[in-house]
Amino acid sequence: NAGVTQTPKFQVLKTGQSMTLQCAQDMNHNSMYWYRQDPGMGLRLIYYSASEGTTDKGEVPNGYNVSRLNKREFSLRLESAAPSQTSVYFCASSGDRTDIGETQYFGPGTRLLVL
Amino acid sequence: AQSVTQPDIHITVSEGASLELRCNYSYGATPYLFWYVQSPGQGLQLLLKYFSGDTLVQGIKGFEAEFKRSQSSFNLRKPSVHWSDAAEYFCAVVLNTNAGKSTFGDGTTLTVKP
């Protein structure tokens, strides 16, 4: 039981390049989330998926797209990276229906630098 | 708009001293409340949560938190801090449990002096 896994762990991009951040969970959770974490700003929700086949915008969706490939996987894509997207990206999942309050379980993060 | 406020950006305590980290929220109803801890270079780990019942909640690593409806607060406490508690702490709320969307505070960084 690996929990939430993210790849890659680190990435350096040039402005304008594209990339996809991968996330997978093995807890049979319904909901998955993508956050970015910037110094002094806590976590901000980029996109979330309440269930397989659905996605919704969070607080800071501009410049990103997501795909809920199946129940396990939720990817985040940067079509044309910008320096403002330099951040640490966290994927999370929740939705064990025996767990009141929707505890979120986080992956280890992807550190992205856009030059 | 709903919000979560952690008034203290950085707190320094001596090892063995008591700790209290503050969290306030602004919502119309009582949300589900969480405290997470993030060690350097790691993801977030749940310390404890409150959704109903006893307003004093026990968590892992010797932490507890008390929900006070009248103050819209959910402060985290520990009687005696250990050096390994040095980390960043986040308060979070979930209002719509169908979606599970969390709103996080900006975090409090805890430094522990020897």
Side-chain angles (χ1 to χ4, degrees):
Chain A
N1 187 335
V4 180
T5 57
Q6 292 182 235
T7 55
K9 291 184 178 179
F10 303 95
Q11 184 70 52
V12 179
L13 294 176
K14 294 180 180 179
T15 297
Q17 288 185 315
S18 62
M19 80 162 294
T20 299
L21 283 63
Q22 305 287 353
C23 174
Q25 53 91 10
D26 61 2
M27 295 174 282
N28 200 36
H29 284 168
N30 293 304
S31 302
M32 297 185 73
Y33 314 82
W34 276 106
Y35 294 91
R36 59 178 290 173
Q37 183 181 33
D38 301 295
M41 297 188 72
L43 279 80
R44 293 182 292 169
L45 183 65
I46 304 171
Y47 271 94
Y48 71 101
S49 171
S51 62
E52 184 179 355
T54 67
T55 60
D56 285 285
K57 295 179 180 179
E59 182 184 356
V60 288
N62 291 344
Y64 305 95
N65 285 300
V66 290
S67 296
R68 184 73 184 268
L69 305 170
N70 47 55
K71 192 171 186 179
R72 288 188 65 249
E73 299 171 291
F74 188 39
S75 63
L76 178 71
R77 183 162 178 84
L78 286 71
E79 290 292 351
S80 179
S84 61
Q85 294 178 305
T86 293
S87 188
V88 181
Y89 291 85
F90 288 98
C91 178
S93 71
S94 71
D96 176 352
R97 297 203 181 275
T98 67
D99 177 21
I100 298 174
E102 295 275 354
T103 300
Q104 294 192 14
Y105 296 84
F106 286 81
T110 294
R111 285 150 183 80
L112 176 65
L113 173 63
V114 182
L115 302 174
Chain B
Q2 56 196 34
S3 67
V4 179
T5 303
Q6 293 180 245
D8 305 303
I9 296 173
H10 195 170
I11 284 183
T12 300
V13 300
S14 298
E15 190 168 15
S18 63
L19 171 70
E20 183 171 31
L21 303 181
R22 296 182 290 166
C23 174
N24 295 94
Y25 64 90
S26 64
Y27 291 88
T30 300
Y32 291 1
L33 298 156
F34 303 79
W35 275 100
Y36 289 88
V37 60
Q38 184 182 29
S39 298
Q42 303 296 315
L44 279 70
Q45 180 186 19
L46 180 70
L47 284 175
L48 49 77
K49 65 182 180 181
Y50 171 81
F51 51 89
S52 67
D54 192 346
T55 56
L56 185 63
V57 181
Q58 302 297 321
I60 62 171
K61 305 185 180 185
F63 286 91
E64 66 179 26
E66 185 172 14
F67 169 61
K68 293 185 177 180
R69 186 189 306 273
S70 61
Q71 300 177 16
S72 297
S73 68
F74 188 56
N75 294 348
L76 182 71
R77 301 194 296 245
K78 187 170 185 177
S80 178
V81 170
H82 188 263
W83 64 265
S84 61
D85 293 325
E88 191 160 18
Y89 292 80
F90 292 94
C91 180
V93 301
V94 173
L95 190 58
N96 181 347
T97 56
N98 288 332
K101 287 171 59 179
S102 294
T103 299
F104 286 81
D106 289 342
T108 298
T109 300
L110 174 65
T111 298
V112 180
K113 294 190 302 182

